[in-house]
Amino acid sequence: MSDRRCLRLRPLRLRPQLEEALERISAVGGVLLYLRQEGRGIGLYNKLDAYALQDGGLDTYAANSALGLPEDGRDYTAAAQMLTALGIDTLDLLSNNPAKARQLRRLGITVRDRVPTGAFVTESNEAYLWAKVEQTGHDIALTGRPARPARHMLGSRVGV
């Protein structure tokens, strides 16, 4: 797969979650932080290698493990530093990922509440979302089971 195709997929998949986040922030106030962490922190080239394994049937987390990489290598130190610079030491975190809240707490940010986002399930991302629920405990309301493994999906960074 070319880099161009990989980069073209990302905005389309993240758009509904980004729009939801912006609407919620607009309604109640807050900030949106963007952290450049391709493939849950493993980098773009490693993610491309993981895609080849996903094409062979592995889910996104198993593919990372098969490459000797962490399931999720993201570090939220920069997010905690940005929040501190903005004078924010307590927040409600808009995220389906419990690891984000745990890491921010360890970094000195008080997370009052972690507010899940919408699921935005499509045929092409359902298996990927199930992997997130089953492997890392994401709060995503899903029903049924996907017929095939996740393919070509990059990790989400909306919310923090």
Side-chain angles (χ1 to χ4, degrees):
M1 172 175 42
S2 73
D3 286 354
R4 189 175 75 230
R5 179 174 166 211
C6 173
L7 295 173
R8 201 173 56 227
L9 288 172
R10 236 175 105 226
L12 297 176
R13 185 180 64 83
L14 295 178
R15 184 179 197 119
Q17 196 176 19
L18 175 61
E19 288 175 354
E20 177 191 1
L22 292 173
E23 286 175 17
R24 287 184 178 199
I25 290 168
S26 178
V28 300
V31 298
L32 178 92
L33 302 181
Y34 174 79
L35 304 176
R36 191 171 175 192
Q37 300 175 326
E38 299 299 336
R40 289 185 312 279
I42 67 170
L44 184 57
Y45 291 111
N46 284 328
K47 191 59 184 173
L48 294 174
D49 290 339
Y51 285 161
L53 295 174
Q54 290 171 357
D55 285 341
L58 295 180
D59 72 36
T60 184
Y61 297 104
N64 283 10
S65 293
L67 293 170
L69 300 167
E71 285 185 348
D72 190 337
R74 290 177 290 185
D75 178 351
Y76 296 102
T77 301
Q81 291 169 339
M82 286 187 263
L83 291 166
T84 300
L86 292 168
I88 301 170
D89 60 2
T90 301
L91 56 77
D92 293 333
L93 178 65
L94 181 59
S95 176
N96 295 327
N97 184 350
K100 287 180 183 178
R102 283 192 301 271
Q103 209 176 123
L104 286 172
R105 285 182 181 115
R106 280 195 302 266
L107 293 165
I109 302 297
T110 301
V111 179
R112 277 187 308 241
D113 192 17
R114 186 175 50 80
V115 181
T117 67
F120 307 107
V121 180
T122 65
E123 184 178 332
S124 66
N125 74 1
E126 185 180 20
Y128 171 75
L129 294 174
W130 270 105
K132 291 176 88 168
V133 168
E134 293 172 348
Q135 298 293 321
T136 55
H138 280 60
D139 284 333
I140 304 172
L142 299 173
T143 59
R145 287 295 297 136
R148 61 189 188 288
R151 292 178 171 217
H152 305 301
M153 302 305 294
L154 293 174
S156 170
R157 287 171 295 288
V158 174
V160 168

